[in-house]
């Protein structure tokens, strides 16, 4: 059997045709070596962030992979591949791509599941592009952003009543593994009042992608959602792009005047992908193995969410943050807490007790709650937290029978109303309670105590 010889120019032209770019002569470089995840090339000039195509010049084993320029030194370029490097050999051609860097956008994306490059994963075919936009969204003057002054109903009683979310707020869900982060995100997806929902599944197990879409998100919620998935087995650059891509989708719909709910699971995997890339190109580690660029990337991503200018749309964002070993002082958790507008901490102890959602009310806070609720609602929430905190502080004494009633009026009141407070905090997976009833039940609870 005779194998047909395919020239490099033919392969390059076919690639440009596939991605709808004009074929034209370009300068070429050569692949010198591969160290870990990094490719080193010489003989060409390309800007950081630009894309290149690495093509194996073996007619009988043709192979090609896209890569992105991450850095340079002494005439060499450092590139990070997007896909598999199987078949790439030393001396492979490295060709800059004349890409416009624009992404297709439109309402046809609703109900679809995409990867980090915008390719469909759901087998439903292509999508009609209404607009073409760059990956980096427009920078909004912070003084022109519409202030957060309107509450957002997420359908979860404990959050609506005690950690009220404002439209345009950015919150973190902090927890270790297996305490119900994904389930809580699914509840928000089904119950939150939003025009468009954008879900980013970044660096999670591949099995969880289908389970989240079918069992947690649901068919009805999917109709108004865009899901971007980049599982843990994909290249770190693809995971990084997926997080940026789902943020850009949210910005696109916000700029159309829509109220968007952005759910990203997880911000930690995004930071870990950046750590893999930074270490691979030689950036020195700083804090527990994380290079400085990781802590620069986090605010640049998170700050893109929020309200648009007066009269525009909004992006209310929830980012899950994994705390290794339930350590809330993990460097990524600590950095995220500083750039977000509040944090909701999930407790493993509560989850083990069957208390769902396992929200640790004492450790959680919404920084915009005073601006979006009435003074009476705020006082009731603060009083609830005070009594719940007293109850937790006296937990061991009460369990062994060492607490003597009458020692502290607040503790006595907390013990007397413990059942009502626990009932308020617990909620079934399919139960939804809007903002007004959540605040009403909180007020009624205190009227009952005072009576």
């Amino acid at each position: 059997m005779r194998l047909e010889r395919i020239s490099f120019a033919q392969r390059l032209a076919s690639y440009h045709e596939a991605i709808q770019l004009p074929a034209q002569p370009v300068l070429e470089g050569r692949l010198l070596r591969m160290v870990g995840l990094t490719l080193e090339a010489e003989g060409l000039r390309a800007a950081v962030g630009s894309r290149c195509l690495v093509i194996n010049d073996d007619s009988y084993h043709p192979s090609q992979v896209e890569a992105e320029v991450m850095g340079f030194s002494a005439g060499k370029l450092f590139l990070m591949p997007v896909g598999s490097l199987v078949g790439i050999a030393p001396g492979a051609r490295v060709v800059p791509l004349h890409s416009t860097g624009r992404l297709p956008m439109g309402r046809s994306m609703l109900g679809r599941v995409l990867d980090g490059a915008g390719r469909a994963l759901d087998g439903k075919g292509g999508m009609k592009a209404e607009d073409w936009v760059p990956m980096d969204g427009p920078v909004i003057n912070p003084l022109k952003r519409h202030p957060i002054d309107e509450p957002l109903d997420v359908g979860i009683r404990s959050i609506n009543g005690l950690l009220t979310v404002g439209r345009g707020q950015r919150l973190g869900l902090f927890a270790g593994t297996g305490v119900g982060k994904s389930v809580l995100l699914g509840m928000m997806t089904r119950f939150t009042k939003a025009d468009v929902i954008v879900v980013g599944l970044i660096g999670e197990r591949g099995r969880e992608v289908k389970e989240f879409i079918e069992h947690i998100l649901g068919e009805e919620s999917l109709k108004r959602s865009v899901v971007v998935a980049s599982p843990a087995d994909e290249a770190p650059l693809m995971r990084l792009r997926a997080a940026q891509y789902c943020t850009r989708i949210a910005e696109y719909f916000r700029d159309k005047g829509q109220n968007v709910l952005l759910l990203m699971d997880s911000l930690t995997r995004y930071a870990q992908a950046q750590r893999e890339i930074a270490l691979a190109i030689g950036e020195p580690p700083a804090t527990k193995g994380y290079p400085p660029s990781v802590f620069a990337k986090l605010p640049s991503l998170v700050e893109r969410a929020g309200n648009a200018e007066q009269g525009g749309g909004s992006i209310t964002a929830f980012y899950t943050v994994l705390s290794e070993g339930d350590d809330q002082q993990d460097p990524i958790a600590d950095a995220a807490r500083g750039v977000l507008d509040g944090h909701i901490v999930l407790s493993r102890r509560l989850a083990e007790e069957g208390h769902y959602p396992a929200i640790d009310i004492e450790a959680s806070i919404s920084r915009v709650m005073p601006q979006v609720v009435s003074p009476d609602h705020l006082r009731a929430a603060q009083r609830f937290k005070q009594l719940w905190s007293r109850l937790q502080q006296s937990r061991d004494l009460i369990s062994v029978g060492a607490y003597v009633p009458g020692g502290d009026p607040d503790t006595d009141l907390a013990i007397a109303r413990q059942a009502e407070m626990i009932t308020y905090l617990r909620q079934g997976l399919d139960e939804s309670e809007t903002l007004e009833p959540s605040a009403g039940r909180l007020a009624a609870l205190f009227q009952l105590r005072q009576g």
Side-chain angles (χ1 to χ4, degrees):
M1 182 177 66
R2 181 179 179 181
L3 296 177
E4 182 181 357
R5 185 177 182 85
I6 303 174
S7 68
F8 164 73
Q10 289 174 322
R11 289 198 301 273
L12 183 60
S14 64
Y15 181 84
H16 278 249
E17 181 181 357
I19 61 175
Q20 299 179 347
L21 295 175
Q24 51 186 302
V26 295
L27 296 177
E28 300 176 8
R30 289 286 182 173
L31 184 64
L32 288 178
R33 62 174 181 165
M34 180 177 69
V35 181
L37 299 174
T38 310
L39 304 177
E40 293 186 11
E42 67 173 357
L44 77 161
R45 296 181 62 184
V48 173
S50 61
R51 298 188 301 162
C52 295
L53 191 64
V54 182
I55 303 178
N56 187 27
D57 198 22
D58 185 342
S59 303
Y60 301 104
H61 300 89
S63 180
Q64 61 186 27
V65 64
E66 183 187 330
E68 183 173 318
V69 180
M70 307 303 297
F72 54 87
S73 175
K76 295 186 294 185
L77 289 182
F78 301 119
L79 303 101
M80 187 66 58
V82 175
S84 173
L85 289 171
V86 175
I88 299 297
R93 298 174 184 265
V94 182
V95 183
L97 293 176
H98 294 279
S99 171
T100 60
R102 293 185 173 269
L103 303 169
M105 295 284 179
R107 293 198 65 83
S108 61
M109 304 176 74
L110 297 178
R112 304 301 302 271
V113 183
L114 314 172
D115 68 0
R119 298 183 294 256
L121 295 175
D122 50 16
K124 296 180 180 179
M127 297 171 292
K128 181 180 179 181
E130 299 175 9
D131 296 291
W132 291 83
V133 301
M135 177 66 86
D136 295 326
V139 178
I140 302 176
N141 187 328
L143 297 180
K144 293 184 178 180
R145 281 185 184 266
H146 184 72
I148 301 174
D149 54 10
E150 179 184 354
L152 178 69
D153 181 11
V154 299
I156 299 173
R157 182 169 51 247
S158 55
I159 297 178
N160 281 341
L162 303 172
L163 304 167
T164 311
V165 177
R167 190 177 297 280
Q169 187 177 359
R170 300 159 303 187
L171 286 112
L173 294 178
F174 292 73
T177 57
V179 295
K181 296 185 303 299
S182 297
V183 174
L184 186 59
L185 286 179
M187 294 175 67
M188 292 180 183
T189 305
R190 294 194 303 271
F191 303 147
T192 300
K193 295 181 179 179
D195 300 320
V196 176
I197 300 169
V198 181
V199 181
L201 302 176
I202 313 300
E204 298 301 312
R205 293 180 289 272
R207 171 186 61 82
E208 293 182 335
V209 175
K210 187 173 183 179
E211 289 184 357
F212 184 90
I213 294 170
E214 294 184 354
H215 303 301
I216 298 178
L217 185 61
E219 185 177 351
E220 288 301 317
S221 297
L222 182 61
K223 292 179 181 179
R224 57 180 179 136
S225 304
V226 183
V227 180
V228 179
S230 182
D233 60 341
E234 291 193 344
L237 184 57
M238 184 61 78
R239 283 176 266 147
L240 208 67
R241 283 186 178 181
Q244 296 168 347
Y245 184 40
C246 65
T247 303
R248 188 65 188 95
I249 294 172
E251 288 176 321
Y252 170 79
F253 285 107
R254 177 190 63 188
D255 294 342
K256 295 293 183 181
Q258 304 286 296
N259 292 317
V260 182
L261 175 66
L262 172 62
L263 306 174
M264 189 177 294
D265 186 13
S266 68
L267 193 64
T268 304
R269 304 300 188 202
Y270 170 80
Q272 290 173 348
Q274 174 60 24
R275 177 176 64 178
E276 292 179 45
I277 294 172
L279 293 177
I281 64 176
E283 187 178 346
T287 306
K288 291 189 177 180
Y290 286 96
S293 63
V294 173
F295 302 100
K297 284 278 188 181
L298 287 177
S300 66
L301 180 74
V302 170
E303 283 294 327
R304 294 168 62 178
N307 286 333
E309 297 182 8
Q310 184 72 33
S314 66
I315 301 176
T316 305
F318 287 87
Y319 301 92
T320 65
V321 181
L322 296 174
S323 303
E324 296 182 5
D326 296 331
D327 180 14
Q328 296 302 320
Q329 302 307 315
D330 175 83
I332 298 302
D334 193 52
R337 194 179 293 109
V339 298
L340 295 171
D341 302 323
H343 48 272
I344 298 174
V345 179
L346 302 185
S347 166
R348 186 173 300 277
R349 177 182 63 81
L350 292 176
E352 291 172 349
E353 293 176 357
H355 181 123
Y356 289 103
I359 298 175
D360 186 345
I361 295 298
E362 293 179 278
S364 304
I365 189 172
S366 171
R367 291 180 178 146
V368 305
M369 184 176 177
Q371 286 80 48
V372 298
V373 300
S374 66
D376 290 341
H377 183 173
L378 185 61
R379 282 194 296 269
Q382 290 173 342
R383 182 58 174 162
F384 186 104
K385 288 184 177 182
Q386 290 169 357
L387 295 181
W388 182 258
S389 179
R390 289 295 182 92
L391 189 63
Q392 301 309 308
Q393 292 170 8
S394 305
R395 181 185 179 94
D396 293 338
L397 292 176
I398 296 170
S399 63
V400 299
Y403 177 75
V404 179
D408 179 68
D410 282 350
T411 303
D412 293 340
L413 187 57
I415 294 173
R417 299 304 179 188
Q418 179 178 1
E420 286 93 334
M421 288 192 290
I422 292 177
T423 300
Y424 186 86
L425 294 176
R426 288 182 175 180
Q427 186 172 334
L429 299 180
D430 297 322
E431 298 177 16
S432 172
E433 187 161 309
T434 57
L435 190 61
E436 292 185 5
S438 299
R441 284 186 60 170
L442 190 63
L445 187 62
F446 285 98
Q447 290 174 3
L448 177 62
R449 291 176 188 161
Q450 294 170 356

